[in-house]
PDB file of all heavy atoms in Angstrom:
ATOM      1  N   LEU A 155     131.642 -18.293-155.111  1.00 94.00           N
ATOM      2  CA  LEU A 155     132.629 -17.250-155.399  1.00 94.00           C
ATOM      3  C   LEU A 155     132.206 -16.385-156.574  1.00 94.00           C
ATOM      4  O   LEU A 155     132.484 -15.184-156.600  1.00 94.00           O
ATOM      5  CB  LEU A 155     133.998 -17.880-155.653  1.00 94.00           C
ATOM      6  CG  LEU A 155     134.650 -18.541-154.434  1.00 94.00           C
ATOM      7  CD1 LEU A 155     135.980 -19.178-154.818  1.00 94.00           C
ATOM      8  CD2 LEU A 155     134.861 -17.540-153.302  1.00 94.00           C
ATOM      9  N   LEU A 158     129.704 -13.876-155.207  1.00 96.00           N
ATOM     10  CA  LEU A 158     130.391 -12.824-154.454  1.00 96.00           C
ATOM     11  C   LEU A 158     131.104 -11.854-155.393  1.00 96.00           C
ATOM     12  O   LEU A 158     131.021 -10.630-155.226  1.00 96.00           O
ATOM     13  CB  LEU A 158     131.396 -13.445-153.490  1.00 96.00           C
ATOM     14  CG  LEU A 158     130.819 -14.206-152.290  1.00 96.00           C
ATOM     15  CD1 LEU A 158     131.906 -14.991-151.575  1.00 96.00           C
ATOM     16  CD2 LEU A 158     130.140 -13.241-151.317  1.00 96.00           C
ATOM     17  N   ALA A 159     131.794 -12.389-156.405  1.00 95.00           N
ATOM     18  CA  ALA A 159     132.533 -11.535-157.332  1.00 95.00           C
ATOM     19  C   ALA A 159     131.603 -10.671-158.159  1.00 95.00           C
ATOM     20  O   ALA A 159     131.856  -9.475-158.362  1.00 95.00           O
ATOM     21  CB  ALA A 159     133.409 -12.391-158.247  1.00 95.00           C
ATOM     22  N   GLY A 162     130.493  -7.777-156.193  1.00 96.00           N
ATOM     23  CA  GLY A 162     131.519  -6.934-155.593  1.00 96.00           C
ATOM     24  C   GLY A 162     131.693  -7.151-154.109  1.00 96.00           C
ATOM     25  O   GLY A 162     132.176  -6.278-153.389  1.00 96.00           O
ATOM     26  N   GLU A 163     131.320  -8.344-153.621  1.00 96.00           N
ATOM     27  CA  GLU A 163     131.314  -8.600-152.184  1.00 96.00           C
ATOM     28  C   GLU A 163     132.433  -9.537-151.728  1.00 96.00           C
ATOM     29  O   GLU A 163     132.451  -9.963-150.580  1.00 96.00           O
ATOM     30  CB  GLU A 163     129.962  -9.192-151.770  1.00 96.00           C
ATOM     31  CG  GLU A 163     128.794  -8.241-151.902  1.00 96.00           C
ATOM     32  CD  GLU A 163     128.764  -7.174-150.803  1.00 96.00           C
ATOM     33  OE1 GLU A 163     129.542  -7.303-149.834  1.00 96.00           O
ATOM     34  OE2 GLU A 163     127.989  -6.218-150.930  1.00 96.00           O
ATOM     35  N   THR A 164     133.369  -9.847-152.591  1.00 95.00           N
ATOM     36  CA  THR A 164     134.438 -10.781-152.226  1.00 95.00           C
ATOM     37  C   THR A 164     135.198 -10.317-150.998  1.00 95.00           C
ATOM     38  O   THR A 164     135.543 -11.113-150.122  1.00 95.00           O
ATOM     39  CB  THR A 164     135.407 -10.971-153.409  1.00 95.00           C
ATOM     40  OG1 THR A 164     134.686 -11.467-154.536  1.00 95.00           O
ATOM     41  CG2 THR A 164     136.517 -11.946-153.054  1.00 95.00           C
ATOM     42  N   GLU A 165     135.486  -9.021-150.925  1.00 95.00           N
ATOM     43  CA  GLU A 165     136.266  -8.474-149.816  1.00 95.00           C
ATOM     44  C   GLU A 165     135.397  -7.752-148.788  1.00 95.00           C
ATOM     45  O   GLU A 165     135.917  -7.042-147.925  1.00 95.00           O
ATOM     46  CB  GLU A 165     137.331  -7.505-150.350  1.00 95.00           C
ATOM     47  CG  GLU A 165     138.285  -8.104-151.368  1.00 95.00           C
ATOM     48  CD  GLU A 165     139.113  -9.238-150.789  1.00 95.00           C
ATOM     49  OE1 GLU A 165     139.424  -9.189-149.572  1.00 95.00           O
ATOM     50  OE2 GLU A 165     139.442 -10.178-151.534  1.00 95.00           O
ATOM     51  N   LEU A 166     134.076  -7.952-148.872  1.00 96.00           N
ATOM     52  CA  LEU A 166     133.173  -7.217-147.984  1.00 96.00           C
ATOM     53  C   LEU A 166     132.211  -8.102-147.193  1.00 96.00           C
ATOM     54  O   LEU A 166     131.965  -7.859-146.012  1.00 96.00           O
ATOM     55  CB  LEU A 166     132.365  -6.193-148.794  1.00 96.00           C
ATOM     56  CG  LEU A 166     133.138  -4.990-149.325  1.00 96.00           C
ATOM     57  CD1 LEU A 166     132.263  -4.171-150.260  1.00 96.00           C
ATOM     58  CD2 LEU A 166     133.651  -4.126-148.182  1.00 96.00           C
ATOM     59  N   LEU A 167     131.650  -9.115-147.822  1.00 96.00           N
ATOM     60  CA  LEU A 167     130.617  -9.886-147.148  1.00 96.00           C
ATOM     61  C   LEU A 167     131.226 -10.816-146.102  1.00 96.00           C
ATOM     62  O   LEU A 167     132.035 -11.683-146.412  1.00 96.00           O
ATOM     63  CB  LEU A 167     129.822 -10.711-148.157  1.00 96.00           C
ATOM     64  CG  LEU A 167     128.585 -11.398-147.560  1.00 96.00           C
ATOM     65  CD1 LEU A 167     127.512 -10.361-147.217  1.00 96.00           C
ATOM     66  CD2 LEU A 167     128.020 -12.437-148.517  1.00 96.00           C
ATOM     67  N   LEU A 176     135.625 -13.048-143.514  1.00 95.00           N
ATOM     68  CA  LEU A 176     135.009 -12.961-144.828  1.00 95.00           C
ATOM     69  C   LEU A 176     134.579 -14.344-145.332  1.00 95.00           C
ATOM     70  O   LEU A 176     135.321 -15.320-145.219  1.00 95.00           O
ATOM     71  CB  LEU A 176     135.987 -12.349-145.830  1.00 95.00           C
ATOM     72  CG  LEU A 176     136.359 -10.884-145.597  1.00 95.00           C
ATOM     73  CD1 LEU A 176     137.473 -10.469-146.539  1.00 95.00           C
ATOM     74  CD2 LEU A 176     135.142  -9.982-145.786  1.00 95.00           C
ATOM     75  N   MET A 177     133.395 -14.386-145.937  1.00 95.00           N
ATOM     76  CA  MET A 177     132.899 -15.642-146.482  1.00 95.00           C
ATOM     77  C   MET A 177     133.802 -16.146-147.602  1.00 95.00           C
ATOM     78  O   MET A 177     134.054 -17.356-147.722  1.00 95.00           O
ATOM     79  CB  MET A 177     131.472 -15.463-146.988  1.00 95.00           C
ATOM     80  CG  MET A 177     130.868 -16.749-147.544  1.00 95.00           C
ATOM     81  SD  MET A 177     129.138 -16.606-148.026  1.00 95.00           S
ATOM     82  CE  MET A 177     128.352 -16.456-146.414  1.00 95.00           C
ATOM     83  N   ALA A 178     134.306 -15.234-148.422  1.00 95.00           N
ATOM     84  CA  ALA A 178     135.160 -15.640-149.538  1.00 95.00           C
ATOM     85  C   ALA A 178     136.404 -16.371-149.062  1.00 95.00           C
ATOM     86  O   ALA A 178     136.854 -17.341-149.681  1.00 95.00           O
ATOM     87  CB  ALA A 178     135.553 -14.428-150.371  1.00 95.00           C
ATOM     88  N   ARG A 179     137.001 -15.914-147.919  1.00 95.00           N
ATOM     89  CA  ARG A 179     138.204 -16.571-147.432  1.00 95.00           C
ATOM     90  C   ARG A 179     137.913 -18.004-146.993  1.00 95.00           C
ATOM     91  O   ARG A 179     138.723 -18.907-147.199  1.00 95.00           O
ATOM     92  CB  ARG A 179     138.787 -15.784-146.252  1.00 95.00           C
ATOM     93  CG  ARG A 179     139.284 -14.400-146.551  1.00 95.00           C
ATOM     94  CD  ARG A 179     140.469 -14.379-147.542  1.00 95.00           C
ATOM     95  NE  ARG A 179     139.997 -14.274-148.897  1.00 95.00           N
ATOM     96  CZ  ARG A 179     139.684 -13.133-149.489  1.00 95.00           C
ATOM     97  NH1 ARG A 179     139.781 -11.990-148.840  1.00 95.00           N
ATOM     98  NH2 ARG A 179     139.276 -13.114-150.746  1.00 95.00           N
ATOM     99  N   GLU A 182     137.481 -20.058-150.219  1.00 93.00           N
ATOM    100  CA  GLU A 182     138.779 -20.221-150.880  1.00 93.00           C
ATOM    101  C   GLU A 182     139.648 -21.238-150.153  1.00 93.00           C
ATOM    102  O   GLU A 182     140.399 -21.999-150.786  1.00 93.00           O
ATOM    103  CB  GLU A 182     139.493 -18.876-150.966  1.00 93.00           C
ATOM    104  CG  GLU A 182     138.861 -17.911-151.958  1.00 93.00           C
ATOM    105  CD  GLU A 182     139.297 -16.484-151.749  1.00 93.00           C
ATOM    106  OE1 GLU A 182     140.173 -16.227-150.886  1.00 93.00           O
ATOM    107  OE2 GLU A 182     138.756 -15.596-152.438  1.00 93.00           O
ATOM    108  N   THR A 287     138.232 -12.931-159.213  1.00 89.00           N
ATOM    109  CA  THR A 287     139.242 -12.256-158.403  1.00 89.00           C
ATOM    110  C   THR A 287     140.608 -12.914-158.585  1.00 89.00           C
ATOM    111  O   THR A 287     140.726 -13.989-159.177  1.00 89.00           O
ATOM    112  CB  THR A 287     138.847 -12.318-156.925  1.00 89.00           C
ATOM    113  OG1 THR A 287     138.827 -13.700-156.509  1.00 89.00           O
ATOM    114  CG2 THR A 287     137.469 -11.699-156.692  1.00 89.00           C
ATOM    115  N   MET A 290     140.606 -16.377-157.143  1.00 90.00           N
ATOM    116  CA  MET A 290     139.942 -17.362-158.000  1.00 90.00           C
ATOM    117  C   MET A 290     140.865 -17.770-159.146  1.00 90.00           C
ATOM    118  O   MET A 290     140.977 -18.957-159.488  1.00 90.00           O
ATOM    119  CB  MET A 290     138.636 -16.787-158.535  1.00 90.00           C
ATOM    120  CG  MET A 290     137.596 -16.540-157.438  1.00 90.00           C
ATOM    121  SD  MET A 290     136.225 -15.488-157.982  1.00 90.00           S
ATOM    122  CE  MET A 290     135.369 -16.594-159.118  1.00 90.00           C
TER     123      MET A 290
END
Side-chain angles (χ1 to χ4, degrees):
L155 292 178
L158 290 169
E163 293 285 350
T164 301
E165 303 297 328
L166 289 172
L167 188 70
L176 293 172
M177 181 175 290
R179 295 297 90 84
E182 289 163 5
T287 63
M290 294 165 70

